[in-house]
Every structure is written in C-alpha cells, then in structure tokens.
Amino acid sequence: MEKTALITGASRGIGRETAVKFWREGFRVAVNYQKSAEAAKELAAELNRLRPGSALAVQADVSKKDQVLSMVRQAEEALGPIEVLVNNAGIAQQKLFTDLTEEDWDRMFQVDVKGVFLCAQAVLPGMIRRKRGKIINISSMWGQVGASCEVHYSAAKGAVIAFTKALAQEVGPSHIQVNCVAPGVIATEMNGALPPEVLDALREETPLGVIGQPGDIAEAVWFLASPQADFITGQVLAPNGGLVL
Ligand code: NAP
C-alpha cells in the first residue's frame, strides 16, 4: 500500500532530496514550499509524470496556523492520510548576538520552532486516530552544541531537540514515533553565503573530511521513517561527518 509523506520546505536542498527519496521508496509526497512555487511545482509535475497522482506541491508558511491547516487538508484530500511528517522547513542567520534584533529572534523561533509545533499539531489528530505515524524533525548540530554568531538559530534548533523528546514520550502510547535528525554542514543554499574559506575550514575540521550532501540527510530521514527504525523514538540521529560527537 502506498503511503503519504508531507515534507516541509521541499522546494530545494535537504527537503527536496528527502521528498525524492520518499517518492523513490514508493511514497506519495506533499512538497511544501513558502515562496519557491516554480521549483516545488516543477518537482511535483516531474514526479507525477513518472507516477501519476504521486505528488502535490502545496504552499504554506509553516509559521502561520491557518496556512498549515490548509496545507494538511489539501495534502490529505489529494494524497491520503499523512503517515510521515518531515519538519524540514527552516531559516538560518549569522549575526553577532549583540546585533540581533527582536524581529530576528522572533522570526527564527516562528519558523524553526513554531513551524514544527503547528505542523505536528495539524497531523497528530489523524495519526492518533489511526494509531500510527512518524514525525521527523530537522534540527542541527548547532542545536546540540551551539554556534558562535548563531545564538538564536542554536537556541531554536535546541528547542526542536527538546520538543522531539517530549512529544515522543507523549504520543508513544499511540504508536507514533517522533525523532530528530541533526545535520552537520550540508551543501545547500542555506550555506551559500558562507565565504569559501569558512567552508574549507569546516571541511578540514570534519573528521570525514567532506561537506555533507542533501542526500546524506535524506537517507538518515528515510531510515527513521522505515520499518527498520520501528523501535526508535525520541532520538537524535546526527549525520555530521564526525564534526560534533
Ligand atoms: P535551504 O536550502 O535554505 O531550504 C530551505 C527550505 O525551507 C526551502 O524549501 C524554503 O522554501 C523552506 N522554507 C523557509 N521558510 C519557510 C516557511 N516559513 N514556510 C515554509 N517553508 C519555508 O535549507 P536547507 O539547507 O535545505 O535546510 C533544511 C533544514 O535543514 C533546515 O531546517 C535547516 O535549518 C536544517 N539544517 C541545514 C544545514 C545545512 O548545513 N544546510 C545544517 C543543519 C540543519 P521557500 O524557498 O519556498 O521559502
């Protein structure tokens, strides 16, 4: 039986790769985007061309409750009950702590934390009714150890880890698993503004000596969604090349 996954922030980067991975594994995929309509619609169209009815591009700013509820409704009407939610949509920002504005702080928490809360709350009633489901939240290694000049990002991603552990305990009795992936440095647009020498330094510091690819994270997310991970909940899987141990 085909299942449905909703992947937030799937217009590019880690989310896009994760959507493609789930699709390749036979899932129907809801490809969420906020602004990048063209990229998300192109991806869904290509997947539908290869397997009709297997994908839907769906717009929502994950920090807005009405948009999230509408996204989940549209996805379930088109593709069926959401069995897996991947909370991937996120923003990052590098700034000295003393320069952070209240708006910087609020926006970071609205997207990276409130977005996770709203999407999980929107899919959970159905999962609880069906007594099955998996939620996988994308945190960051900076949420585990903190990063200079990314205090608000680190705090938000740390909150995602605590959220994962708490929710896993609460919904475990309903046979729903909640896990987290905390990537290291991954080659996506999010890191596009980093100067090449900073990326080189991060690569050198990484024991495996490489910058990760979106596919490395998609594989970790898929593992947590697969039956092989059915006894795993409340955990943080950290594909980071050994940079943070
Ligand atoms: P990316 O290339 O910048 O892509 C971000 C995605 O999130 C885009 O699809 C974007 O869609 C979407 N998005 C942003 N704000 C949104 C909102 N309010 N509502 C809905 N969608 C929104 O980033 P990435 O590197 O793939 O990162 C994906 C996740 O991994 C993030 O949570 C990030 O914090 C985490 N992560 C990344 C790295 C890394 O090194 N790249 C490391 C650790 C963790 P639109 O363009 O349509 O807005």
Side-chain angles (χ1 to χ4, degrees):
M1 192 187 70
E2 275 190 11
K3 294 178 180 175
T4 298
L6 166 61
I7 296 106
T8 66
S11 59
R12 60 172 186 269
I14 292 168
R16 183 185 202 281
E17 206 63 27
T18 302
V20 171
K21 172 69 185 171
F22 275 69
W23 181 87
R24 282 205 188 106
E25 295 291 343
F27 268 70
R28 290 182 290 253
V29 289
V31 175
N32 159 251
Y33 64 96
Q34 183 196 15
K35 295 179 186 147
S36 307
E38 203 180 328
K41 286 179 182 171
E42 262 176 29
L43 174 62
E46 177 63 4
L47 300 180
N48 280 326
R49 192 179 63 76
L50 296 167
R51 210 167 75 224
S54 64
L56 178 77
V58 58
Q59 199 278 333
D61 176 344
V62 294
S63 70
K64 301 276 191 313
K65 184 171 181 172
D66 54 341
Q67 295 185 30
V68 167
L69 291 175
S70 163
M71 165 178 72
V72 168
R73 201 169 39 246
Q74 288 175 61
E76 294 202 322
E77 273 170 20
L79 304 174
I82 292 166
E83 297 255 345
V84 179
L85 165 67
V86 182
N87 275 315
N88 165 79
I91 54 170
Q93 187 183 36
Q94 282 90 33
K95 221 171 176 182
L96 272 179
F97 179 71
T98 45
D99 289 344
L100 278 183
T101 64
E102 195 178 345
E103 289 71 34
D104 290 334
W105 182 272
D106 286 347
R107 189 64 192 147
M108 186 62 69
F109 273 72
Q110 276 162 12
V111 178
D112 287 16
V113 185
K114 189 178 175 191
V116 172
F117 156 66
L118 289 175
C119 292
Q121 210 178 43
V123 301
L124 265 169
M127 288 183 175
I128 291 169
R129 227 178 14 255
R130 295 187 295 276
K131 295 258 181 299
R132 55 185 293 151
K134 302 194 185 202
I135 297 176
I136 298 153
N137 301 317
I138 308 299
S139 174
S140 163
M141 66 177 169
W142 303 135
Q144 297 177 289
V145 296
S148 166
C149 295
E150 293 190 72
V151 171
H152 56 341
Y153 181 72
S154 302
K157 291 300 188 179
V160 170
I161 292 174
F163 173 100
T164 300
K165 294 181 183 197
L167 188 61
Q169 294 180 58
E170 189 167 324
V171 298
S174 296
H175 308 289
I176 295 158
Q177 294 159 252
V178 189
N179 285 297
C180 187
V181 173
V185 185
I186 309 301
T188 68
E189 272 183 41
M190 187 170 271
N191 290 322
L194 289 180
E197 57 275 18
V198 173
L199 276 178
D200 284 345
L202 285 165
R203 184 183 296 110
E204 271 168 33
E205 276 175 50
T206 303
L208 287 180
V210 286
I211 299 291
Q213 296 301 316
D216 296 322
I217 308 309
E219 291 295 338
V221 175
W222 170 251
F223 166 67
L224 289 171
S226 71
Q228 283 68 34
D230 273 352
F231 194 49
I232 298 176
T233 198
Q235 300 299 315
V236 181
L237 184 56
N240 62 30
L243 188 53
V244 163
L245 297 175

